[in-house]
Amino acid sequence: MKDAYIYDAVRTPRGKGKPDGTLHEVPAVRLSALVLNEIKERNNLDGHAVEDVIWGNVTQIGEQGACLARSAVLYSDLDESIPGVSINRFCASGLEAVNLAASHVMAGMGDGYIAGGVESMSRVPMGSDGGAIAVDPYLAMKSYFVPQGISADIIATKFGFSRTMCDEYAVESQKRAARAQKEGRFDKSIFTVRDINGLPILDHDEMVRENTDMQTLGSLKPSFKEMGEVMPGFDNIAIMKYPELEKIEHVHHAGNSSGIADGAGGVLIGSKEFGEKWGLKPRARIVRTAKIGTDPTIMLTGPVPVTEKVLREAGMEIGDIDLFEVNEAFASVVLRFMTYFDVDHDKLNVNGGAIAMGHPLGATGAIILGTLLDELERSDKETGLATLCIGSGMGAATIIERV
Protein backbone atom coordinates (compact mmCIF):
# COMPACT_ATOMS: atom_id res chain seq x y z
CA MET A 1 0.00 0.00 0.00
CA LYS A 2 1.26 3.44 -0.95
CA ASP A 3 0.65 6.57 1.08
CA ALA A 4 -1.71 9.16 -0.38
CA TYR A 5 -0.81 12.81 0.16
CA ILE A 6 -2.59 16.12 -0.23
CA TYR A 7 -0.46 18.46 -2.32
CA ASP A 8 -2.90 21.32 -2.72
CA ALA A 9 -6.47 22.41 -1.94
CA VAL A 10 -8.27 25.31 -3.59
CA ARG A 11 -11.80 26.64 -3.75
CA THR A 12 -13.98 29.37 -5.11
CA PRO A 13 -15.74 31.74 -2.76
CA ARG A 14 -19.24 30.61 -1.84
CA GLY A 15 -21.95 32.75 -3.38
CA LYS A 16 -25.57 33.01 -2.32
CA GLY A 17 -27.41 30.20 -4.09
CA LYS A 18 -30.27 32.33 -5.36
CA PRO A 19 -30.84 34.23 -8.63
CA ASP A 20 -29.57 37.40 -6.95
CA GLY A 21 -26.38 35.67 -5.79
CA THR A 22 -23.11 36.94 -7.21
CA LEU A 23 -22.13 33.59 -8.76
CA HIS A 24 -25.51 32.99 -10.38
CA GLU A 25 -24.09 33.98 -13.75
CA VAL A 26 -21.36 31.32 -13.53
CA PRO A 27 -22.54 27.77 -14.41
CA ALA A 28 -21.22 24.75 -12.55
CA VAL A 29 -19.04 23.62 -15.45
CA ARG A 30 -17.19 26.94 -15.40
CA LEU A 31 -16.86 26.98 -11.60
CA SER A 32 -15.37 23.49 -11.85
CA ALA A 33 -13.02 24.43 -14.68
CA LEU A 34 -11.77 27.45 -12.74
CA VAL A 35 -10.81 25.17 -9.84
CA LEU A 36 -9.07 22.74 -12.19
CA ASN A 37 -7.17 25.60 -13.82
CA GLU A 38 -6.13 26.98 -10.43
CA ILE A 39 -4.73 23.60 -9.38
CA LYS A 40 -2.95 23.21 -12.72
CA GLU A 41 -1.36 26.65 -12.57
CA ARG A 42 -0.41 26.62 -8.88
CA ASN A 43 1.33 23.27 -9.24
CA ASN A 44 2.79 23.67 -12.76
CA LEU A 45 1.04 20.56 -14.06
CA ASP A 46 1.20 19.70 -17.74
CA GLY A 47 0.00 17.01 -20.12
CA HIS A 48 -1.50 13.85 -18.66
CA ALA A 49 -0.50 14.94 -15.18
CA VAL A 50 -3.22 13.11 -13.27
CA GLU A 51 -4.98 9.81 -13.77
CA ASP A 52 -8.50 11.18 -13.42
CA VAL A 53 -10.71 14.00 -12.18
CA ILE A 54 -13.21 12.65 -9.63
CA TRP A 55 -15.91 15.23 -9.08
CA GLY A 56 -18.81 15.34 -6.64
CA ASN A 57 -22.09 16.81 -7.81
CA VAL A 58 -25.47 16.15 -6.19
CA THR A 59 -28.13 17.44 -8.56
CA GLN A 60 -26.95 15.82 -11.78
CA ILE A 61 -29.50 17.16 -14.20
CA GLY A 62 -29.60 19.80 -16.94
CA GLU A 63 -26.37 21.78 -17.16
CA GLN A 64 -25.00 19.76 -14.20
CA GLY A 65 -25.73 16.44 -15.90
CA ALA A 66 -24.04 14.27 -18.53
CA CYS A 67 -20.85 13.64 -16.54
CA LEU A 68 -20.08 17.19 -15.49
CA ALA A 69 -16.57 16.10 -14.50
CA ARG A 70 -15.60 15.31 -18.07
CA SER A 71 -17.26 18.49 -19.32
CA ALA A 72 -15.24 20.48 -16.77
CA VAL A 73 -11.99 18.91 -17.96
CA LEU A 74 -12.78 19.85 -21.55
CA TYR A 75 -13.82 23.36 -20.46
CA SER A 76 -10.59 23.79 -18.51
CA ASP A 77 -6.95 24.03 -19.59
CA LEU A 78 -6.23 20.45 -18.56
CA ASP A 79 -5.11 18.05 -21.26
CA GLU A 80 -8.02 16.34 -23.00
CA SER A 81 -6.38 12.97 -22.33
CA ILE A 82 -7.43 13.32 -18.67
CA PRO A 83 -10.84 11.69 -18.09
CA GLY A 84 -13.45 12.69 -15.55
CA VAL A 85 -16.09 10.93 -13.47
CA SER A 86 -18.99 12.45 -11.55
CA ILE A 87 -20.13 10.90 -8.27
CA ASN A 88 -23.02 11.51 -5.90
CA ARG A 89 -22.97 10.76 -2.18
CA PHE A 90 -25.25 13.69 -1.50
CA CYS A 91 -23.71 16.24 0.91
CA ALA A 92 -20.45 14.29 1.24
CA SER A 93 -19.84 14.01 -2.51
CA GLY A 94 -16.81 16.31 -2.47
CA LEU A 95 -15.19 14.44 0.41
CA GLU A 96 -16.05 11.07 -1.10
CA ALA A 97 -14.34 12.15 -4.33
CA VAL A 98 -11.17 12.82 -2.32
CA ASN A 99 -11.52 9.51 -0.48
CA LEU A 100 -11.91 7.60 -3.74
CA ALA A 101 -8.87 9.32 -5.21
CA ALA A 102 -6.84 8.52 -2.11
CA SER A 103 -7.93 4.88 -2.28
CA HIS A 104 -6.81 4.64 -5.90
CA VAL A 105 -3.42 6.12 -5.05
CA MET A 106 -2.99 3.80 -2.08
CA ALA A 107 -3.81 0.82 -4.29
CA GLY A 108 -1.32 1.91 -6.94
CA MET A 109 -4.02 2.66 -9.51
CA GLY A 110 -2.56 5.94 -10.69
CA ASP A 111 -0.15 8.28 -8.91
CA GLY A 112 -2.13 11.51 -9.09
CA TYR A 113 -5.75 12.67 -9.03
CA ILE A 114 -7.74 15.88 -8.81
CA ALA A 115 -10.81 15.37 -6.63
CA GLY A 116 -13.51 17.68 -5.34
CA GLY A 117 -16.91 18.90 -6.35
CA VAL A 118 -19.30 21.65 -7.31
CA GLU A 119 -22.87 22.80 -6.94
CA SER A 120 -24.65 25.73 -8.53
CA MET A 121 -27.78 25.79 -6.42
CA SER A 122 -28.93 29.09 -7.85
CA ARG A 123 -29.09 27.64 -11.37
CA VAL A 124 -29.98 23.99 -10.71
CA PRO A 125 -32.39 23.84 -7.75
CA MET A 126 -31.91 21.21 -5.08
CA GLY A 127 -34.28 18.30 -5.62
CA SER A 128 -34.94 19.05 -9.28
CA ASP A 129 -33.56 15.63 -10.19
CA GLY A 130 -36.23 13.81 -8.20
CA GLY A 131 -35.40 10.60 -6.34
CA ALA A 132 -36.97 7.27 -5.47
CA ILE A 133 -36.48 7.75 -1.72
CA ALA A 134 -39.08 10.53 -1.77
CA VAL A 135 -41.45 9.53 -4.57
CA ASP A 136 -41.56 5.73 -4.63
CA PRO A 137 -44.43 4.84 -2.25
CA TYR A 138 -42.99 1.48 -1.17
CA LEU A 139 -39.54 2.88 -0.44
CA ALA A 140 -40.86 6.03 1.27
CA MET A 141 -43.06 3.96 3.57
CA LYS A 142 -40.40 1.31 4.20
CA SER A 143 -37.80 3.92 5.17
CA TYR A 144 -40.21 6.24 7.03
CA PHE A 145 -39.07 9.06 4.75
CA VAL A 146 -39.11 12.64 6.02
CA PRO A 147 -37.28 15.68 4.58
CA GLN A 148 -33.90 16.59 6.04
CA GLY A 149 -35.20 19.59 7.96
CA ILE A 150 -37.61 17.33 9.84
CA SER A 151 -34.69 14.97 10.52
CA ALA A 152 -32.71 17.84 12.04
CA ASP A 153 -35.66 18.70 14.26
CA ILE A 154 -35.95 15.02 15.28
CA ILE A 155 -32.30 15.12 16.40
CA ALA A 156 -32.94 18.28 18.40
CA THR A 157 -36.02 16.75 20.03
CA LYS A 158 -34.50 13.34 20.73
CA PHE A 159 -31.26 14.66 22.21
CA GLY A 160 -32.57 17.76 23.94
CA PHE A 161 -31.17 20.62 21.85
CA SER A 162 -33.37 23.67 22.33
CA ARG A 163 -33.97 26.52 19.91
CA THR A 164 -31.77 28.68 22.13
CA MET A 165 -28.89 26.20 21.97
CA CYS A 166 -29.15 25.95 18.18
CA ASP A 167 -29.31 29.73 17.80
CA GLU A 168 -26.33 30.26 20.09
CA TYR A 169 -24.33 27.84 17.98
CA ALA A 170 -25.36 29.68 14.80
CA VAL A 171 -24.37 33.08 16.17
CA GLU A 172 -20.93 31.71 17.05
CA SER A 173 -20.53 30.24 13.55
CA GLN A 174 -21.14 33.69 12.07
CA LYS A 175 -18.68 35.34 14.44
CA ARG A 176 -15.98 32.80 13.68
CA ALA A 177 -16.46 33.05 9.92
CA ALA A 178 -16.34 36.85 10.03
CA ARG A 179 -13.15 36.76 12.10
CA ALA A 180 -11.58 34.23 9.74
CA GLN A 181 -12.36 36.45 6.76
CA LYS A 182 -10.88 39.53 8.42
CA GLU A 183 -7.73 37.68 9.45
CA GLY A 184 -7.24 36.13 6.01
CA ARG A 185 -7.51 32.56 7.26
CA PHE A 186 -9.02 31.37 3.97
CA ASP A 187 -6.52 33.18 1.74
CA LYS A 188 -4.29 30.16 1.10
CA SER A 189 -7.09 28.23 -0.61
CA ILE A 190 -9.63 30.72 -1.90
CA PHE A 191 -9.22 32.44 -5.25
CA THR A 192 -11.14 35.17 -7.04
CA VAL A 193 -13.75 34.12 -9.57
CA ARG A 194 -13.43 36.24 -12.69
CA ASP A 195 -15.54 36.62 -15.80
CA ILE A 196 -14.38 35.75 -19.31
CA ASN A 197 -12.79 39.21 -19.59
CA GLY A 198 -10.73 38.68 -16.46
CA LEU A 199 -12.79 41.08 -14.35
CA PRO A 200 -13.39 40.00 -10.73
CA ILE A 201 -16.82 38.70 -9.85
CA LEU A 202 -16.39 37.46 -6.27
CA ASP A 203 -13.39 37.11 -3.95
CA HIS A 204 -14.99 36.21 -0.59
CA ASP A 205 -17.79 34.10 0.90
CA GLU A 206 -20.68 36.49 0.46
CA MET A 207 -23.20 34.99 2.89
CA VAL A 208 -21.38 35.79 6.15
CA ARG A 209 -23.51 38.00 8.41
CA GLU A 210 -21.19 39.41 11.05
CA ASN A 211 -23.94 41.25 12.92
CA THR A 212 -26.09 38.18 13.53
CA ASP A 213 -27.26 37.99 17.14
CA MET A 214 -29.81 36.11 19.22
CA GLN A 215 -32.41 38.80 18.71
CA THR A 216 -32.08 38.58 14.92
CA LEU A 217 -32.41 34.81 14.92
CA GLY A 218 -35.24 34.93 17.45
CA SER A 219 -37.43 36.71 14.92
CA LEU A 220 -37.20 33.88 12.37
CA LYS A 221 -40.01 31.36 12.07
CA PRO A 222 -39.23 27.62 12.15
CA SER A 223 -38.70 26.47 8.56
CA PHE A 224 -40.10 22.95 8.88
CA LYS A 225 -43.01 23.35 11.31
CA GLU A 226 -45.71 23.58 8.64
CA MET A 227 -44.56 20.57 6.62
CA GLY A 228 -44.21 18.66 9.85
CA GLU A 229 -47.52 19.50 11.47
CA VAL A 230 -49.90 20.44 8.69
CA MET A 231 -49.26 19.06 5.26
CA PRO A 232 -48.25 16.38 4.50
CA GLY A 233 -47.72 15.82 8.23
CA PHE A 234 -44.20 14.40 8.39
CA ASP A 235 -44.21 14.68 12.19
CA ASN A 236 -46.69 11.81 12.31
CA ILE A 237 -44.32 9.65 10.27
CA ALA A 238 -41.46 10.51 12.60
CA ILE A 239 -43.47 9.65 15.68
CA MET A 240 -44.49 6.32 14.11
CA LYS A 241 -40.77 5.56 13.84
CA TYR A 242 -39.89 6.99 17.26
CA PRO A 243 -42.98 6.55 19.48
CA GLU A 244 -41.00 7.68 22.52
CA LEU A 245 -41.21 11.23 21.10
CA GLU A 246 -44.59 12.70 21.93
CA LYS A 247 -44.04 15.81 19.80
CA ILE A 248 -41.38 17.06 17.39
CA GLU A 249 -39.91 20.39 18.47
CA HIS A 250 -39.28 22.53 15.39
CA VAL A 251 -36.19 24.56 16.26
CA HIS A 252 -34.44 24.98 12.91
CA HIS A 253 -34.82 27.94 10.59
CA ALA A 254 -32.85 29.77 7.93
CA GLY A 255 -30.46 31.24 10.50
CA ASN A 256 -29.32 28.03 12.18
CA SER A 257 -29.31 25.82 9.08
CA SER A 258 -26.79 25.71 6.24
CA GLY A 259 -27.25 28.32 3.55
CA ILE A 260 -28.04 27.44 -0.06
CA ALA A 261 -24.88 28.31 -1.98
CA ASP A 262 -22.92 28.16 -5.23
CA GLY A 263 -19.29 27.06 -5.18
CA ALA A 264 -16.60 24.55 -6.09
CA GLY A 265 -13.50 23.11 -4.45
CA GLY A 266 -10.72 20.75 -5.46
CA VAL A 267 -7.87 18.79 -3.88
CA LEU A 268 -4.70 17.52 -5.54
CA ILE A 269 -4.01 13.99 -4.31
CA GLY A 270 -0.92 11.97 -5.15
CA SER A 271 1.70 9.45 -4.15
CA LYS A 272 5.22 10.28 -3.03
CA GLU A 273 6.41 9.58 -6.59
CA PHE A 274 3.84 12.03 -7.97
CA GLY A 275 5.23 14.80 -5.81
CA GLU A 276 8.78 14.01 -6.78
CA LYS A 277 7.90 14.04 -10.47
CA TRP A 278 6.29 17.49 -10.32
CA GLY A 279 8.57 19.01 -7.68
CA LEU A 280 5.79 19.30 -5.12
CA LYS A 281 5.96 19.08 -1.34
CA PRO A 282 3.13 17.18 0.35
CA ARG A 283 1.12 19.14 2.89
CA ALA A 284 -0.66 16.23 4.59
CA ARG A 285 -1.08 12.48 4.52
CA ILE A 286 -4.50 10.90 4.34
CA VAL A 287 -4.49 8.55 7.32
CA ARG A 288 -7.85 6.83 6.91
CA THR A 289 -11.23 7.28 5.28
CA ALA A 290 -14.60 5.74 6.12
CA LYS A 291 -18.26 5.71 5.15
CA ILE A 292 -21.31 4.20 6.83
CA GLY A 293 -25.07 3.81 6.50
CA THR A 294 -27.38 4.98 9.29
CA ASP A 295 -31.07 5.29 10.19
CA PRO A 296 -32.68 6.94 7.11
CA THR A 297 -35.42 8.77 9.05
CA ILE A 298 -33.35 10.66 11.60
CA MET A 299 -30.88 10.63 8.68
CA LEU A 300 -28.27 13.15 9.84
CA THR A 301 -26.59 11.33 12.74
CA GLY A 302 -23.93 9.74 10.49
CA PRO A 303 -20.96 11.84 11.72
CA VAL A 304 -21.03 10.02 15.06
CA PRO A 305 -20.83 6.36 13.95
CA VAL A 306 -18.58 7.10 10.97
CA THR A 307 -16.15 8.92 13.27
CA GLU A 308 -16.14 5.94 15.60
CA LYS A 309 -15.47 3.70 12.60
CA VAL A 310 -12.66 5.74 11.08
CA LEU A 311 -10.94 6.14 14.45
CA ARG A 312 -11.23 2.43 15.18
CA GLU A 313 -9.83 1.46 11.80
CA ALA A 314 -6.99 3.96 12.18
CA GLY A 315 -6.16 2.69 15.66
CA MET A 316 -6.84 6.12 17.13
CA GLU A 317 -9.02 7.74 19.80
CA ILE A 318 -11.01 10.95 19.73
CA GLY A 319 -8.34 12.63 21.89
CA ASP A 320 -5.77 12.05 19.14
CA ILE A 321 -7.53 14.57 16.89
CA ASP A 322 -6.39 18.19 17.17
CA LEU A 323 -9.05 19.83 15.00
CA PHE A 324 -12.46 18.84 13.64
CA GLU A 325 -14.53 20.02 10.70
CA VAL A 326 -18.12 18.81 11.07
CA ASN A 327 -20.35 20.14 8.32
CA GLU A 328 -22.94 22.54 9.68
CA ALA A 329 -25.89 21.16 7.74
CA PHE A 330 -28.03 22.06 10.75
CA ALA A 331 -27.01 23.24 14.21
CA SER A 332 -28.33 20.09 15.92
CA VAL A 333 -26.06 17.87 13.80
CA VAL A 334 -22.94 19.53 15.19
CA LEU A 335 -24.31 19.78 18.72
CA ARG A 336 -24.95 16.04 18.67
CA PHE A 337 -21.38 15.38 17.57
CA MET A 338 -19.88 17.63 20.24
CA THR A 339 -21.95 16.24 23.09
CA TYR A 340 -21.50 12.60 22.08
CA PHE A 341 -17.72 12.82 21.89
CA ASP A 342 -17.36 15.58 24.51
CA VAL A 343 -15.38 17.64 21.99
CA ASP A 344 -14.53 21.18 23.02
CA HIS A 345 -15.92 23.79 20.64
CA ASP A 346 -12.47 25.38 20.58
CA LYS A 347 -11.32 22.39 18.50
CA LEU A 348 -14.29 22.20 16.14
CA ASN A 349 -15.24 24.42 13.19
CA VAL A 350 -12.93 27.10 14.52
CA ASN A 351 -13.48 29.27 11.44
CA GLY A 352 -17.23 28.88 11.23
CA GLY A 353 -19.03 26.67 8.77
CA ALA A 354 -21.94 26.21 6.41
CA ILE A 355 -24.41 28.03 8.66
CA ALA A 356 -22.40 31.19 8.04
CA MET A 357 -20.88 30.54 4.61
CA GLY A 358 -23.27 28.19 2.84
CA HIS A 359 -23.33 24.58 1.72
CA PRO A 360 -22.84 24.05 -2.04
CA LEU A 361 -23.80 20.39 -1.80
CA GLY A 362 -21.35 18.64 -4.08
CA ALA A 363 -18.42 20.87 -3.12
CA THR A 364 -18.63 21.21 0.66
CA GLY A 365 -16.75 18.03 1.55
CA ALA A 366 -13.70 19.12 -0.43
CA ILE A 367 -13.99 22.68 0.87
CA ILE A 368 -14.03 21.73 4.56
CA LEU A 369 -11.09 19.36 4.06
CA GLY A 370 -9.08 22.26 2.62
CA THR A 371 -10.21 24.51 5.46
CA LEU A 372 -9.11 21.87 7.95
CA LEU A 373 -5.67 21.58 6.36
CA ASP A 374 -5.18 25.34 6.23
CA GLU A 375 -6.10 25.67 9.90
CA LEU A 376 -3.81 22.81 10.95
CA GLU A 377 -0.95 24.69 9.29
CA ARG A 378 -1.96 28.10 10.64
CA SER A 379 -2.30 26.89 14.21
CA ASP A 380 0.63 24.46 13.98
CA LYS A 381 -1.47 21.42 14.82
CA GLU A 382 -0.89 17.92 13.49
CA THR A 383 -4.05 15.84 13.00
CA GLY A 384 -7.54 16.68 11.77
CA LEU A 385 -10.83 14.94 11.05
CA ALA A 386 -13.48 16.07 8.56
CA THR A 387 -16.96 14.55 8.53
CA LEU A 388 -20.39 15.21 7.06
CA CYS A 389 -23.92 13.95 7.56
CA ILE A 390 -25.54 12.64 4.38
CA GLY A 391 -29.05 12.38 2.95
CA SER A 392 -30.93 9.07 3.24
CA GLY A 393 -28.88 8.20 6.32
CA MET A 394 -25.12 7.97 5.76
CA GLY A 395 -21.89 9.43 7.06
CA ALA A 396 -18.39 10.01 5.67
CA ALA A 397 -15.14 10.91 7.39
CA THR A 398 -11.47 11.51 6.61
CA ILE A 399 -8.48 11.78 8.94
CA ILE A 400 -5.41 13.71 7.79
CA GLU A 401 -2.06 14.47 9.38
CA ARG A 402 0.47 17.11 8.41
CA VAL A 403 3.80 16.05 6.98
Side-chain angles (χ1 to χ4, degrees), residues 202-222:
L202 186 65
D203 64 0
H204 65 282
D205 298 308
E206 72 172 331
M207 299 172 68
V208 178
R209 300 179 297 277
E210 181 179 5
N211 296 323
T212 298
D213 55 26
M214 293 295 288
Q215 289 71 32
T216 302
L217 297 187
S219 67
L220 300 176
K221 295 181 179 180

Side-chain angles (χ1 to χ4, degrees), residues 93-122:
S93 297
L95 187 65
E96 186 61 28
V98 173
N99 293 350
L100 283 171
S103 298
H104 287 317
V105 171
M106 291 174 184
M109 304 294 286
D111 279 332
Y113 287 80
I114 297 175
V118 69
E119 208 76 33
S120 178
M121 300 180 76
S122 70

Side-chain angles (χ1 to χ4, degrees), residues 96-388:
E96 186 61 28
V98 173
N99 293 350
L100 283 171
S103 298
H104 287 317
V105 171
M106 291 174 184
M109 304 294 286
D111 279 332
Y113 287 80
I114 297 175
V118 69
E119 208 76 33
S120 178
M121 300 180 76
S122 70
R123 298 174 64 91
V124 184
M126 178 172 54
S128 57
D129 55 342
I133 187 70
V135 302
D136 183 285
Y138 174 80
L139 180 56
M141 292 177 66
K142 181 176 185 289
S143 63
Y144 291 86
F145 169 79
V146 299
Q148 281 195 9
I150 301 294
S151 299
D153 286 337
I154 295 172
I155 293 173
T157 304
K158 185 175 178 65
F159 298 106
F161 304 127
S162 67
R163 164 92 180 234
T164 297
M165 295 169 69
C166 291
D167 284 0
E168 287 175 344
Y169 180 86
V171 169
E172 182 63 18
S173 179
Q174 293 284 355
K175 289 180 178 178
R176 293 182 178 200
R179 179 191 64 196
Q181 280 189 333
K182 288 182 177 179
E183 294 181 2
R185 296 190 183 186
F186 303 131
D187 290 355
K188 181 176 287 188
S189 295
I190 201 168
F191 65 91
T192 301
V193 173
R194 300 177 182 274
D195 65 18
I196 58 174
N197 297 312
L199 298 176
I201 298 175
L202 186 65
D203 64 0
H204 65 282
D205 298 308
E206 72 172 331
M207 299 172 68
V208 178
R209 300 179 297 277
E210 181 179 5
N211 296 323
T212 298
D213 55 26
M214 293 295 288
Q215 289 71 32
T216 302
L217 297 187
S219 67
L220 300 176
K221 295 181 179 180
S223 297
F224 311 105
K225 183 179 177 67
E226 184 173 350
M227 71 168 64
E229 297 179 353
V230 182
M231 191 173 71
F234 286 110
D235 283 7
N236 292 329
I237 297 173
I239 292 171
M240 287 173 62
K241 182 71 174 286
Y242 314 108
E244 71 274 16
L245 303 180
E246 295 182 2
K247 183 179 185 295
I248 306 301
E249 299 295 332
H250 293 286
V251 302
H252 289 93
H253 50 75
N256 59 26
S257 307
S258 57
I260 294 173
D262 300 336
V267 181
L268 181 61
I269 305 290
S271 64
K272 178 182 178 182
E273 293 79 9
F274 176 83
E276 291 173 347
K277 176 180 178 180
W278 295 99
L280 303 175
K281 181 180 179 181
R283 296 173 61 189
R285 181 177 71 91
I286 295 181
V287 176
R288 192 79 188 187
T289 73
K291 58 270 187 185
I292 202 167
T294 62
D295 180 338
T297 307
I298 201 168
M299 193 185 306
L300 307 173
T301 55
V304 168
V306 81
T307 294
E308 291 180 318
K309 180 182 180 183
V310 76
L311 288 171
R312 181 174 63 252
E313 293 178 349
M316 301 173 69
E317 299 178 352
I318 198 74
D320 296 326
I321 305 299
D322 297 316
L323 291 174
F324 298 85
E325 282 287 327
V326 181
N327 185 40
E328 295 177 352
F330 299 91
S332 64
V333 172
V334 188
L335 292 173
R336 171 60 178 160
F337 185 94
M338 286 196 295
T339 56
Y340 183 88
F341 289 111
D342 193 24
V343 170
D344 194 304
H345 200 181
D346 289 341
K347 299 173 67 174
L348 184 146
N349 297 355
V350 298
N351 294 317
I355 288 174
M357 294 176 283
H359 177 20
L361 304 177
T364 302
I367 289 174
I368 68 170
L369 189 66
T371 299
L372 178 63
L373 177 54
D374 287 349
E375 184 59 25
L376 285 171
E377 293 173 342
R378 189 197 70 83
S379 58
D380 196 25
K381 300 289 176 52
E382 297 300 321
T383 306
L385 184 149
T387 184
L388 301 93

